[in-house]
Amino acid sequence: MSTADMKLVVVGAAGRMGQTLIRTIHAMPGVTLSAAVERSGSAFIGRDAGEIAGLGPTGILVTDDPLRAFVEAEGVLDFTAPAASVEFSGLAAQARIVHVIGTTGCSPADEARFDAAARHARVVKSGNMSLGVNLLGVLVQQAARALPAAGWDLEILEMHHRHKVDAPSGTALLLGEAAARGRGIDLESQSVRVRDGHTGPRPEGTIGFATLRGGSVIGEHSVILAGEGESVTLSHSATDRSIFARGAVTAALWARSQKPGSYSMLDVLGLTA
Ligand SMILES: NC(=O)C1=CN([C@@H]2O[C@H](COP(=O)(O)OP(=O)(O)OC[C@H]3O[C@@H](n4cnc5c(N)ncnc54)[C@H](OP(=O)(O)O)[C@@H]3O)[C@@H](O)[C@H]2O)C=CC1
Ligand SMILES: O=C(O)C1=N[C@H](C(=O)O)C[C@H](O)C1
């Protein structure tokens, strides 16, 4: 560890992403784990974060005091749950640090709280922190612009593991937003989230979502543009959660030198149009 290393807190440290983040921080240059947080009453409080993540002892014991952890750090990596991320955003703003938010399933009210926190914190939020998915979003935007809505129906299909609690996935919504930007339409009013029973024919120009859940699938996403007699499919497969963790650490290092504000992975990766 060098004294210039960015000190990072992992919240939700014992979760699937929390453990992956701890291993990734250990493996990447320029960053060091300064604290690991779980909720009060969690069976992981007081345990060594490195041991939970399969690294062996690191001397960092899991705490339930996030504010104390944040004031002694430069950034927090947060893949938890919407209510938790809202709470952490207020604390990150108080501590004036970087808050990287990977949590999905957040409501518009939650997003407003993140925006408020971004007056003091540097907030990077994305439904998917991987390079591949963010590149896919750029390609989807181009395809949706190039292929006219009259004649080219756009559907987004995703599959995740059986433990996932929100749908459509944050990635599916990110890809839907990219498609909507390409078509110059509003996703909220033009999306079809569920189909069941006698639905009638497909309304032209809408963006459809379909969700599969099962097993240990890390993340599969396809954007299908279906035309008359031909279709184009753009897709991404995640085979290792470290792609999200590397993206989150890269985001924290990038945000370290930015002004307070709300940023996306497109800003971090330089993929903005
Ligand atoms: N943007 C991206 O690139 C990615 C986003 N995600 C998203 O990240 C989130 C987490 O996913 P995953 O790791 O699979 O989920 P897990 O359920 O495995 O982990 C979440 C962790 O957060 C903890 N947690 C919840 N509330 C609090 C709190 N108030 N204080 C401290 N810890 C808390 C949970 O503890 P407890 O079990 O006690 O509730 C758990 O340990 C999801 O929203 C998922 O969609 C996942 C992968 C990539
Ligand atoms: O819950 C997950 O596991 C994942 N969540 C994110 C999402 O909702 O898209 C990103 C990734 O696909 C894994």
Side-chain angles (χ1 to χ4, degrees):
M1 173 193 151
S2 133
T3 49
D5 281 356
M6 185 175 187
K7 291 166 75 181
L8 296 176
V9 180
V10 172
V11 290
R16 280 175 289 275
M17 278 305 299
Q19 293 184 43
T20 312
L21 287 160
I22 290 167
R23 289 192 294 273
T24 301
I25 291 169
H26 185 73
M28 278 179 74
V31 286
T32 190
L33 180 69
S34 66
V37 174
E38 271 291 342
R39 68 167 92 235
S40 297
S42 163
F44 294 99
I45 302 300
R47 285 191 49 194
D48 190 288
E51 286 194 334
I52 294 168
L55 291 173
T58 53
I60 304 288
L61 304 185
V62 177
T63 171
D64 60 0
D65 187 349
L67 183 56
R68 185 160 178 196
F70 290 10
V71 295
E72 290 170 4
E74 294 168 88
V76 51
L77 308 183
D78 175 359
F79 291 67
T80 56
S85 291
V86 165
E87 184 197 333
F88 293 138
S89 73
L91 302 179
Q94 276 186 57
R96 305 281 199 272
I97 61 173
V98 170
H99 188 189
V100 177
I101 307 174
T103 306
T104 58
C106 300
S107 67
D110 297 334
E111 299 291 347
R113 300 283 295 274
F114 300 141
D115 286 342
R119 288 200 291 268
H120 301 296
R122 285 147 280 157
V123 179
V124 183
K125 183 169 186 297
S126 176
N128 195 303
M129 299 275 170
S130 76
L131 174 58
V133 158
N134 283 281
L135 175 65
L136 179 65
V138 173
L139 300 175
V140 165
Q141 182 173 340
Q142 288 175 357
R145 183 179 294 133
L147 299 173
W152 288 89
D153 301 324
L154 209 154
E155 295 282 313
I156 301 176
L157 174 65
E158 56 112 333
M159 181 161 186
H160 284 87
H161 53 93
R162 63 168 71 95
H163 305 288
K164 187 160 177 64
V165 293
D166 55 305
S169 68
T171 309
L173 293 171
L174 175 162
L175 296 170
E177 289 290 356
R181 268 197 307 280
R183 291 212 160 149
I185 60 171
D186 169 54
L187 181 65
E188 180 69 23
S189 60
Q190 293 296 305
S191 61
V192 176
R193 300 276 197 104
V194 179
R195 294 187 183 103
D196 186 30
H198 184 84
T199 61
R202 188 183 195 286
E204 188 177 275
T206 53
I207 296 178
F209 290 85
T211 301
L212 306 179
R213 293 284 176 266
S216 59
V217 175
I218 291 178
E220 297 286 328
H221 292 90
S222 294
V223 178
I224 303 159
L225 291 121
E228 287 293 332
E230 59 180 331
S231 68
V232 175
T233 303
L234 300 167
S235 65
H236 180 269
S237 293
T239 54
D240 192 322
R241 286 190 174 83
S242 61
I243 62 171
F244 313 126
R246 280 199 303 273
V249 171
T250 302
L253 286 166
W254 177 86
R256 193 185 197 185
S257 57
Q258 305 300 316
K259 290 186 296 204
S262 295
Y263 302 97
S264 74
M265 280 308 281
L266 295 177
D267 299 311
V268 174
L269 298 170
L271 291 172
T272 42

